[in-house]
Amino acid sequence: MVAQHLFILTGASRGMGRAMAGQLLQAGHTLITLARSPLPLPPQPLATHLHWPHDLTAPEAAAGQLLAWLQACRASDYASATLINNAAMIPPIAPLCATAWPDIAATLRLGLEAPMVLTSAFLQGTAHWTQPKKVLNISSGLGRRGMASQAPYCAAKAGLDNFSQALALEEALKPHGARVCSLAPGVIDTAMQAQLRSADADNFPDAHRFGHLHSNGLLTSAEDAATQVLAWLARPDFGTPVLADVRQP
């Protein structure tokens, strides 16, 4: 049996996540996708796709399933293992004082807690593997600069960046530690972008900027963004630097 490359991808049911899932499902790959919605992908010869339906605003069940699955695997069946934490959400666009508390909690759980819990499960389950391991966290420019009426999302992405830096330091101490990167994927034409540009300008002072990006054709398609992100994942220097942006050389 030829060893497969294992990929675990969250937020795979729409947008860039769905595009990445389609591009990752190819010969020689085992792909595990996690999302609340079903993800029917066309079968590919010599590829394996497992879809686990989970609500990652409560990530413990998904992490438990991932850990159990990895512990039941034979490490020799895989040439590499990669976790891509892509799932995220923005709450209804409003100043923090007008944002419902459950929306704040859900944004932080999905955007920060779930990546941390799933990464813990991934690293526990592959602790004895000597094959290359990678953790790719999908960040955002809003994790590196604040924006009014986006406090929960900005906080989740900023936390994801700093979590990635701390994790990289930990993994560097191990003989076969994972390489870690928190990658900003650029400005992508997704439902999230539509939500931002259609927001009430009284609640969201930057609405006009997102409208400008769309009307001037400055948004990257989900397919092109997925291609850029996966190309970054394949770079021999992946993880250097830990905080990166696809628009960097």
Side-chain angles (χ1 to χ4, degrees), residues 218-232:
L218 300 176
L219 299 177
T220 305
S221 72
E223 285 290 336
D224 287 347
T227 299
Q228 292 173 344
V229 166
L230 296 179
W232 195 281

Side-chain angles (χ1 to χ4, degrees), residues 30-208:
T30 293
L31 173 64
I32 298 174
T33 53
L34 293 90
R36 285 177 294 182
S37 303
L39 183 63
L41 293 176
Q44 298 294 328
L46 305 178
T48 300
H49 176 219
L50 304 174
H51 182 66
W52 298 346
H54 283 285
D55 179 355
L56 293 180
T57 61
E60 292 89 345
Q65 183 174 4
L66 176 59
L67 177 58
W69 189 89
L70 289 168
Q71 290 175 333
C73 285
R74 290 187 308 178
S76 59
D77 288 344
Y78 297 97
S80 68
T82 300
L83 171 64
I84 305 174
N85 287 306
N86 169 68
M89 63 174 287
I90 58 174
I93 298 165
L96 186 66
C97 63
T99 302
W101 297 344
D103 290 334
I104 296 171
T107 301
L108 292 172
R109 286 172 180 161
L110 182 60
L112 181 56
E113 181 183 337
M116 295 184 73
V117 172
L118 288 168
T119 300
S120 176
F122 174 74
L123 295 175
Q124 288 181 53
T126 59
H128 64 290
W129 293 26
T130 60
Q131 299 92 324
K133 292 177 286 187
K134 297 178 182 179
V135 176
L136 172 59
N137 292 322
I138 302 301
S139 186
S140 168
L142 295 188
R144 298 163 196 181
R145 64 178 183 84
M147 179 174 285
S149 298
Q150 283 297 294
Y153 184 80
C154 290
K157 292 303 186 182
L160 191 68
D161 282 351
N162 210 23
F163 153 58
S164 301
Q165 291 180 302
L167 180 65
L169 293 172
E170 295 174 4
E171 291 299 298
L173 300 175
K174 302 176 182 178
H176 301 288
R179 288 189 281 167
V180 182
C181 179
S182 190
L183 180 66
V187 189
I188 308 166
D189 193 5
T190 63
M192 188 179 292
Q193 277 291 317
Q195 185 179 352
L196 290 168
R197 66 177 175 264
S198 62
D200 182 351
D202 290 338
N203 280 332
F204 187 42
D206 286 281
H208 69 283

